[in-house]
Amino acid sequence: MAPFNFTHSDTSTFILTGIPGLEAAHIWISIPFFTFYIVSLLGNVTLLSVVGKEQTLQKPMYLLLCMLALTDIATPTFVVPKALGIFWFNLEGITVAGCLTQMFFLHTISVMHSSTLVTMAFDRYVAICNPLRYATILSNAQIAKLGLVGFIRAVLFILPLPLLLSQQTFCANRIIPHTQCEHIAMVKMVCGDIRVSRIYGFVLMFVINGFDLMLIALSYSLIIRAVLRISSHKAHQKALNTCTAHICVMLTYYTPTFFSILTHHFGQGIPPYVHIILADLYLLIPPMLNPIIYGVKTKELRDKVVKYTCRNSADTKFTQSSADTRHDITSGLQCPSGNCQIVREYVNQHLVGCGLGGRPEVL
């Protein structure tokens, strides 16, 4: 996306200080940042790879998991590299255009993440309350359309935030005590009238999160009502087990989100570094835990991950074993009458035919 156009301070920069009050510990703080980021990348890329390779997993539930994984890859990617640059190399400067762009993408991905959780709740509702019509109501094409609607909704809701701020004049003190360009942090840098930006941001937060949580609560109330009508205890347990992973993912996302929001608005006595750490953990912890939760709680996905992991391990060992076997056989050859080249070619051809070679080579 192209940087936003500005009417004021086009060439100016902000200073992201990292975590004020904990500057001496920046190097140590960078270790969990980097670790969480790498683990989240590995987990989500593995999930995407397994679903992409395994035909049996290419159905609505797992396509939704892929959408969630994409948002989980994007979210920390917009935060961690800049944060590590601050922690490791004191690269604290960021242009106004860069700051607004980072803010736009962070909040857009957050809204898309919330939309995906709503769609997943609807998916569980249809699977439990209307299983016979599941294939017609939620096809792969329908999931793609819902994903596109979620993306358009996120862009339309979030785009006014940077556009409103781009029309403002920023104060001389351009220091942002944070590791990222949050909307709340940028609003505090404005010298002009910020009532419209504040009101829009505040209403947007409650409209999106409140509306999405209301839809999720409605889905689960209908699910609980349908489960209670089932007489079999085993069926109760099976139905609820299908929702466990989704409930855990929602808790890891919405709990730190609201805790961070509440501390920002009502925790004036809390040290600033607590606000910043909470905001960062909210962007780092869910992307790391989501693939782990679904890998543990979803048997079909877990089995496929183990299958591909074991297959790759076995292929590596077999290739090494084949090379060792060829070397052991050929190194012990006795060449009658000096015809070593002929004997080696004969052994190569036969080892390849037995699956020990891979391709004919001259030893």
Side-chain angles (χ1 to χ4, degrees):
M1 180 176 177
F4 299 102
N5 292 322
F6 301 99
T7 57
H8 301 284
S9 305
D10 221 346
T11 59
S12 61
T13 60
F14 288 135
I15 301 296
L16 289 169
T17 61
I19 305 179
L22 298 177
E23 289 86 354
H26 273 179
I27 294 296
W28 295 106
I29 294 172
S30 70
I31 296 174
F33 266 66
F34 182 74
T35 303
F36 293 164
Y37 182 50
I38 295 300
V39 172
S40 67
L41 283 182
L42 289 175
N44 288 293
V45 169
T46 299
L47 190 152
L48 290 171
S49 300
V50 170
V51 174
K53 290 178 181 178
E54 190 62 42
Q55 196 71 27
T56 59
L57 295 182
Q58 293 177 11
K59 47 192 178 184
M61 175 183 174
Y62 295 103
L63 292 182
L64 285 170
L65 282 183
C66 289
M67 290 167 57
L68 192 69
L70 289 173
T71 62
D72 285 342
I73 290 172
T75 299
T77 299
F78 287 119
V79 175
V80 175
K82 179 59 181 176
L84 293 179
I86 296 170
F87 295 153
W88 291 345
F89 309 111
N90 290 323
L91 300 176
E92 299 176 335
I94 183 170
T95 64
V96 176
C99 209
L100 287 175
T101 302
Q102 185 193 50
M103 182 194 73
F104 169 76
F105 279 113
L106 278 177
H107 292 298
T108 299
I109 294 299
S110 178
V111 175
M112 288 181 62
H113 191 106
S114 185
S115 299
T116 304
L117 292 178
V118 173
T119 309
M120 294 173 81
F122 179 65
D123 170 79
R124 292 300 85 203
Y125 159 72
V126 176
I128 293 173
C129 300
N130 209 341
L132 297 180
R133 297 185 58 201
Y134 180 85
T136 56
I137 296 175
L138 282 177
S139 62
N140 289 352
Q142 289 296 105
I143 293 298
K145 290 177 183 177
L146 290 172
L148 180 61
V149 169
F151 173 75
I152 293 172
R153 183 187 82 143
V155 172
L156 291 179
F157 274 123
I158 299 301
L159 188 59
L161 292 177
L163 291 180
L164 286 171
L165 286 176
S166 68
Q167 306 304 313
Q168 298 291 337
T169 302
F170 294 100
C171 298
N173 180 15
R174 298 173 180 272
I175 298 174
I176 300 179
H178 213 306
T179 58
Q180 57 186 276
C181 295
E182 279 191 329
H183 179 253
I184 296 174
M186 290 202 66
V187 165
K188 293 177 180 178
M189 307 300 297
V190 175
C191 287
D193 187 1
I194 60 172
R195 282 178 297 177
V196 175
S197 292
R198 275 189 177 277
I199 292 172
Y200 184 77
F202 198 71
V203 171
L204 189 65
M205 176 184 66
F206 280 100
V207 166
I208 292 178
N209 289 326
F211 181 70
D212 289 354
L213 281 174
M214 182 183 69
L215 291 178
I216 291 171
L218 177 62
S219 296
Y220 274 97
S221 64
L222 294 173
I223 288 172
I224 292 171
R225 188 180 68 174
V227 169
L228 292 177
R229 290 177 178 176
I230 303 173
S231 57
S232 170
H233 176 72
K234 186 176 181 181
H236 277 185
Q237 187 175 8
K238 184 176 180 181
L240 292 176
N241 280 342
T242 63
C243 301
T244 305
H246 183 243
I247 292 171
C248 292
V249 167
M250 285 193 302
L251 289 174
T252 62
Y253 177 75
Y254 285 112
T255 302
T257 299
F258 280 103
F259 196 69
S260 177
I261 291 170
L262 290 174
T263 55
H264 259 296
H265 289 280
F266 306 107
Q268 284 75 17
I270 299 176
Y273 63 81
V274 174
H275 295 283
I276 297 168
I277 291 174
L278 284 174
D280 288 332
L281 291 179
Y282 145 68
L283 297 174
L284 289 171
I285 299 296
M288 180 184 67
L289 292 182
N290 289 346
I292 297 173
I293 291 170
Y294 273 101
V296 170
K297 301 299 293 184
T298 310
K299 184 179 184 301
E300 188 177 9
L301 179 61
R302 183 174 67 246
D303 291 344
K304 298 303 180 184
V305 171
V306 171
K307 168 188 169 183
Y308 281 102
T309 303
C310 292
R311 177 186 293 179
N312 292 336
S313 177
D315 288 345
T316 303
K317 290 181 180 178
F318 179 76
T319 303
Q320 183 61 42
S321 175
S322 300
D324 293 343
T325 303
R326 293 179 61 192
H327 175 74
D328 292 343
I329 294 175
T330 54
S331 62
L333 288 175
Q334 299 294 326
C335 305
S337 306
N339 295 323
C340 291
Q341 184 62 31
I342 297 173
V343 175
R344 288 192 176 108
E345 289 179 1
Y346 175 82
V347 172
N348 263 318
Q349 293 171 3
H350 282 71
L351 289 178
V352 170
C354 295
L356 295 173
R359 63 183 178 87
E361 295 177 358
V362 177
L363 297 169

